[in-house]
Short mmCIF file of all heavy atoms in Angstrom, two decimals:
data_model
loop_
_atom_site.label_atom_id
_atom_site.label_comp_id
_atom_site.label_asym_id
_atom_site.label_seq_id
_atom_site.Cartn_x
_atom_site.Cartn_y
_atom_site.Cartn_z
N LEU Y 405 -2.54 10.02 20.61
CA LEU Y 405 -2.27 10.50 19.25
C LEU Y 405 -2.43 12.01 19.11
O LEU Y 405 -2.05 12.58 18.09
CB LEU Y 405 -3.16 9.77 18.25
CG LEU Y 405 -2.96 8.25 18.19
CD1 LEU Y 405 -3.97 7.61 17.25
CD2 LEU Y 405 -1.55 7.90 17.80
N ALA Y 406 -3.02 12.64 20.12
CA ALA Y 406 -3.14 14.11 20.18
C ALA Y 406 -3.90 14.69 18.98
O ALA Y 406 -3.45 15.64 18.33
CB ALA Y 406 -1.76 14.75 20.29
N VAL Y 407 -5.07 14.09 18.68
CA VAL Y 407 -5.96 14.64 17.66
C VAL Y 407 -7.34 14.87 18.29
O VAL Y 407 -7.61 14.40 19.40
CB VAL Y 407 -6.08 13.71 16.44
CG1 VAL Y 407 -4.73 13.57 15.74
CG2 VAL Y 407 -6.65 12.35 16.83
N ASP Y 408 -8.19 15.57 17.58
CA ASP Y 408 -9.54 15.80 18.10
C ASP Y 408 -10.32 14.49 18.17
O ASP Y 408 -10.07 13.55 17.39
CB ASP Y 408 -10.29 16.78 17.19
CG ASP Y 408 -9.72 18.19 17.25
OD1 ASP Y 408 -9.05 18.51 18.27
OD2 ASP Y 408 -9.92 18.95 16.29
N GLU Y 409 -11.28 14.43 19.08
CA GLU Y 409 -12.14 13.26 19.16
C GLU Y 409 -12.86 13.08 17.83
O GLU Y 409 -13.48 14.01 17.32
CB GLU Y 409 -13.16 13.43 20.28
CG GLU Y 409 -14.08 12.24 20.45
CD GLU Y 409 -15.06 12.41 21.60
OE1 GLU Y 409 -14.85 13.32 22.45
OE2 GLU Y 409 -16.03 11.64 21.67
N PRO Y 410 -12.78 11.90 17.24
CA PRO Y 410 -13.42 11.68 15.93
C PRO Y 410 -14.93 11.89 15.98
O PRO Y 410 -15.58 11.55 16.97
CB PRO Y 410 -13.07 10.22 15.61
CG PRO Y 410 -11.91 9.88 16.47
CD PRO Y 410 -12.07 10.71 17.72
N GLU Y 411 -15.46 12.40 14.88
CA GLU Y 411 -16.89 12.64 14.81
C GLU Y 411 -17.67 11.32 14.90
O GLU Y 411 -18.73 11.26 15.52
CB GLU Y 411 -17.22 13.37 13.50
CG GLU Y 411 -18.66 13.86 13.39
CD GLU Y 411 -19.59 12.81 12.83
OE1 GLU Y 411 -19.11 11.90 12.12
OE2 GLU Y 411 -20.81 12.89 13.09
N TRP Y 412 -17.14 10.24 14.31
CA TRP Y 412 -17.82 8.96 14.38
C TRP Y 412 -17.89 8.44 15.81
O TRP Y 412 -18.85 7.75 16.19
CB TRP Y 412 -17.15 7.92 13.47
CG TRP Y 412 -15.70 7.63 13.75
CD1 TRP Y 412 -14.62 8.13 13.09
CD2 TRP Y 412 -15.17 6.77 14.78
NE1 TRP Y 412 -13.46 7.64 13.63
CE2 TRP Y 412 -13.76 6.80 14.65
CE3 TRP Y 412 -15.74 5.98 15.76
CZ2 TRP Y 412 -12.91 6.07 15.49
CZ3 TRP Y 412 -14.90 5.26 16.61
CH2 TRP Y 412 -13.51 5.31 16.46
N LEU Y 413 -16.90 8.79 16.64
CA LEU Y 413 -16.91 8.37 18.03
C LEU Y 413 -17.98 9.12 18.82
O LEU Y 413 -18.67 8.53 19.65
CB LEU Y 413 -15.52 8.58 18.64
CG LEU Y 413 -15.29 8.08 20.06
CD1 LEU Y 413 -15.66 6.61 20.20
CD2 LEU Y 413 -13.84 8.30 20.48
N ARG Y 414 -18.15 10.38 18.53
CA ARG Y 414 -19.21 11.15 19.19
C ARG Y 414 -20.58 10.62 18.79
O ARG Y 414 -21.49 10.50 19.63
CB ARG Y 414 -19.09 12.63 18.83
CG ARG Y 414 -17.86 13.32 19.43
CD ARG Y 414 -17.97 14.84 19.32
NE ARG Y 414 -17.98 15.28 17.93
CZ ARG Y 414 -16.89 15.58 17.24
NH1 ARG Y 414 -15.69 15.48 17.80
NH2 ARG Y 414 -16.97 15.99 15.99
N ARG Y 415 -20.75 10.29 17.49
CA ARG Y 415 -22.03 9.74 17.05
C ARG Y 415 -22.31 8.38 17.68
O ARG Y 415 -23.45 8.08 18.05
CB ARG Y 415 -22.06 9.61 15.52
CG ARG Y 415 -22.28 10.93 14.79
CD ARG Y 415 -22.58 10.71 13.33
NE ARG Y 415 -21.42 10.26 12.59
CZ ARG Y 415 -21.36 9.12 11.90
NH1 ARG Y 415 -22.40 8.30 11.89
NH2 ARG Y 415 -20.27 8.79 11.24
N ALA Y 416 -21.28 7.57 17.82
CA ALA Y 416 -21.45 6.26 18.44
C ALA Y 416 -21.90 6.40 19.90
O ALA Y 416 -22.83 5.71 20.35
CB ALA Y 416 -20.15 5.47 18.37
N ALA Y 417 -21.27 7.31 20.63
CA ALA Y 417 -21.64 7.52 22.03
C ALA Y 417 -23.08 7.99 22.13
O ALA Y 417 -23.83 7.57 23.03
CB ALA Y 417 -20.69 8.52 22.67
N SER Y 418 -23.50 8.86 21.22
CA SER Y 418 -24.86 9.36 21.23
C SER Y 418 -25.87 8.26 20.92
O SER Y 418 -26.89 8.11 21.61
CB SER Y 418 -25.00 10.51 20.22
OG SER Y 418 -26.33 10.95 20.14
N GLN Y 419 -25.59 7.47 19.89
CA GLN Y 419 -26.50 6.40 19.49
C GLN Y 419 -26.68 5.36 20.58
O GLN Y 419 -27.80 4.96 20.91
CB GLN Y 419 -25.98 5.73 18.21
CG GLN Y 419 -26.26 6.51 16.94
CD GLN Y 419 -27.74 6.53 16.61
OE1 GLN Y 419 -28.38 5.48 16.50
NE2 GLN Y 419 -28.30 7.72 16.49
N TRP Y 420 -25.58 4.92 21.16
CA TRP Y 420 -25.66 3.85 22.15
C TRP Y 420 -26.07 4.35 23.53
O TRP Y 420 -26.31 3.55 24.44
CB TRP Y 420 -24.34 3.10 22.22
CG TRP Y 420 -24.12 2.25 21.00
CD1 TRP Y 420 -23.37 2.54 19.91
CD2 TRP Y 420 -24.71 0.97 20.75
NE1 TRP Y 420 -23.44 1.52 18.98
CE2 TRP Y 420 -24.24 0.54 19.48
CE3 TRP Y 420 -25.57 0.12 21.47
CZ2 TRP Y 420 -24.63 -0.69 18.92
CZ3 TRP Y 420 -25.94 -1.09 20.92
CH2 TRP Y 420 -25.48 -1.48 19.66
N GLY Y 421 -26.20 5.65 23.67
CA GLY Y 421 -26.72 6.21 24.91
C GLY Y 421 -28.23 6.24 24.95
O GLY Y 421 -28.83 6.57 25.99
N LEU Y 422 -28.90 5.89 23.83
CA LEU Y 422 -30.36 5.87 23.79
C LEU Y 422 -30.90 4.71 24.63
O LEU Y 422 -30.22 3.70 24.83
CB LEU Y 422 -30.83 5.72 22.34
CG LEU Y 422 -30.48 6.88 21.40
CD1 LEU Y 422 -30.84 6.52 19.96
CD2 LEU Y 422 -31.19 8.15 21.83
N PRO Y 423 -32.12 4.84 25.15
CA PRO Y 423 -32.68 3.77 25.99
C PRO Y 423 -32.81 2.45 25.22
O PRO Y 423 -33.06 2.44 24.01
CB PRO Y 423 -34.07 4.31 26.37
CG PRO Y 423 -34.00 5.78 26.13
CD PRO Y 423 -33.03 5.99 25.02
N ALA Y 424 -32.65 1.36 25.93
CA ALA Y 424 -32.82 0.04 25.33
C ALA Y 424 -34.29 -0.20 25.02
O ALA Y 424 -35.16 0.15 25.82
CB ALA Y 424 -32.31 -1.04 26.28
N PRO Y 425 -34.60 -0.75 23.86
CA PRO Y 425 -36.01 -1.01 23.50
C PRO Y 425 -36.61 -2.10 24.37
O PRO Y 425 -35.92 -2.92 24.95
CB PRO Y 425 -35.93 -1.42 22.04
CG PRO Y 425 -34.54 -1.90 21.84
CD PRO Y 425 -33.68 -1.13 22.79
N ARG Y 426 -37.91 -2.09 24.44
CA ARG Y 426 -38.68 -3.08 25.18
C ARG Y 426 -39.71 -3.70 24.22
O ARG Y 426 -40.06 -3.09 23.23
CB ARG Y 426 -39.40 -2.43 26.38
CG ARG Y 426 -38.44 -1.91 27.44
CD ARG Y 426 -37.75 -3.07 28.18
NE ARG Y 426 -36.92 -2.60 29.27
CZ ARG Y 426 -35.63 -2.33 29.17
NH1 ARG Y 426 -35.02 -2.45 28.00
NH2 ARG Y 426 -34.94 -1.94 30.22
N PRO Y 427 -40.19 -4.90 24.48
CA PRO Y 427 -39.87 -5.76 25.63
C PRO Y 427 -38.52 -6.42 25.47
O PRO Y 427 -37.97 -6.50 24.36
CB PRO Y 427 -40.99 -6.78 25.60
CG PRO Y 427 -41.33 -6.91 24.16
CD PRO Y 427 -41.19 -5.54 23.59
N GLU Y 428 -37.97 -6.90 26.58
CA GLU Y 428 -36.72 -7.63 26.52
C GLU Y 428 -36.93 -9.00 25.87
O GLU Y 428 -37.98 -9.63 26.02
CB GLU Y 428 -36.14 -7.81 27.93
CG GLU Y 428 -35.67 -6.51 28.56
CD GLU Y 428 -35.01 -6.74 29.90
OE1 GLU Y 428 -35.37 -7.72 30.58
OE2 GLU Y 428 -34.14 -5.94 30.28
N LEU Y 429 -35.92 -9.46 25.17
CA LEU Y 429 -35.93 -10.78 24.56
C LEU Y 429 -34.73 -11.57 25.08
O LEU Y 429 -33.64 -11.03 25.23
CB LEU Y 429 -35.85 -10.68 23.03
CG LEU Y 429 -36.95 -9.92 22.31
CD1 LEU Y 429 -36.62 -9.80 20.82
CD2 LEU Y 429 -38.29 -10.61 22.50
N ARG Y 430 -34.94 -12.85 25.33
CA ARG Y 430 -33.85 -13.72 25.77
C ARG Y 430 -33.08 -14.20 24.54
O ARG Y 430 -33.68 -14.72 23.59
CB ARG Y 430 -34.40 -14.91 26.57
CG ARG Y 430 -34.92 -14.51 27.93
CD ARG Y 430 -35.66 -15.66 28.61
NE ARG Y 430 -34.89 -16.89 28.69
CZ ARG Y 430 -33.96 -17.14 29.61
NH1 ARG Y 430 -33.71 -16.25 30.56
NH2 ARG Y 430 -33.30 -18.29 29.62
N VAL Y 431 -31.76 -14.02 24.57
CA VAL Y 431 -30.96 -14.29 23.38
C VAL Y 431 -29.76 -15.17 23.70
O VAL Y 431 -29.24 -15.15 24.82
CB VAL Y 431 -30.49 -12.95 22.75
CG1 VAL Y 431 -29.48 -12.26 23.66
CG2 VAL Y 431 -29.89 -13.17 21.37
N ILE Y 432 -29.36 -15.95 22.71
CA ILE Y 432 -28.11 -16.71 22.75
C ILE Y 432 -27.30 -16.30 21.52
O ILE Y 432 -27.84 -16.18 20.41
CB ILE Y 432 -28.35 -18.23 22.74
CG1 ILE Y 432 -29.07 -18.67 24.02
CG2 ILE Y 432 -27.04 -19.00 22.58
CD1 ILE Y 432 -29.51 -20.13 24.00
N VAL Y 433 -25.99 -16.08 21.72
CA VAL Y 433 -25.12 -15.70 20.61
C VAL Y 433 -23.98 -16.70 20.51
O VAL Y 433 -22.95 -16.56 21.17
CB VAL Y 433 -24.57 -14.27 20.80
CG1 VAL Y 433 -23.74 -13.87 19.58
CG2 VAL Y 433 -25.70 -13.27 21.01
N PRO Y 434 -24.11 -17.71 19.67
CA PRO Y 434 -22.99 -18.62 19.43
C PRO Y 434 -21.88 -17.90 18.65
O PRO Y 434 -22.17 -17.08 17.76
CB PRO Y 434 -23.60 -19.75 18.59
CG PRO Y 434 -25.08 -19.64 18.81
CD PRO Y 434 -25.34 -18.17 19.00
#
């Protein structure tokens, strides 16, 4: 589309780049 990278996309990359919290929990997602 030849536009600048959206600001929300940069924020998403930054947020999800943070370390995963501990302790781990076992999960099921139906």
Side-chain angles (χ1 to χ4, degrees):
L405 299 176
V407 296
D408 292 337
E409 181 178 345
E411 189 273 337
W412 59 260
L413 185 54
R414 291 193 296 270
R415 283 192 289 122
S418 175
Q419 281 291 305
W420 288 99
L422 296 172
R426 295 290 185 268
E428 292 184 331
L429 301 174
R430 289 171 54 81
V431 68
I432 295 172
V433 184

